[in-house]
């Protein structure tokens, strides 16, 4: 896992998916990193909500490996 600052200008035109190996509800939407960048730059709360769902999904996977 790696940290991404999707608010960074380097993601403004990045058409790649957030995480191609993830099957959470957010990743099922198939939004690009550029889409998330636009949501964050426009102060749209949807971006934060979707990233929170994704991050919780990652934490759930990590915990399942530890148990």
């Amino acid at each position: 896992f790696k940290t991404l600052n999707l608010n960074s200008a380097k993601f403004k035109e990045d058409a790649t998916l957030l995480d191609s190996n993830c099957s959470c509800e957010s990743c099922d939407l198939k939004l690009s990193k550029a889409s998330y960048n636009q949501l964050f730059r426009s102060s749209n709360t949807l971006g934060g909500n979707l990233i929170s769902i994704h991050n919780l999904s990652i934490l759930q996977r990590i915990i399942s490996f530890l148990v």
Side-chain angles (χ1 to χ4, degrees):
F1 302 106
K2 61 183 174 180
T3 302
L4 298 176
N5 179 5
L6 293 171
N7 200 30
S8 172
K10 73 179 184 177
F11 293 112
K12 190 173 183 178
E13 297 184 23
D14 189 338
T16 61
L17 296 176
L18 184 61
D19 184 350
S20 59
N21 297 320
C22 183
S23 62
C24 74
E25 291 85 358
S26 295
C27 291
D28 283 347
L29 296 174
K30 307 284 189 222
L31 295 176
S32 67
K33 292 175 188 165
S35 297
Y36 282 102
N37 179 274
Q38 177 62 32
L39 288 171
F40 289 131
R41 288 178 170 269
S42 67
S43 300
N44 190 323
T45 58
L46 178 61
N49 292 341
L50 292 173
I51 290 298
S52 293
I53 291 168
H54 176 72
N55 288 341
L56 288 170
S57 174
I58 289 175
L59 285 173
Q60 192 173 24
R61 281 189 275 162
I62 291 170
I63 291 170
S64 71
F65 287 125
L66 297 175
V67 175

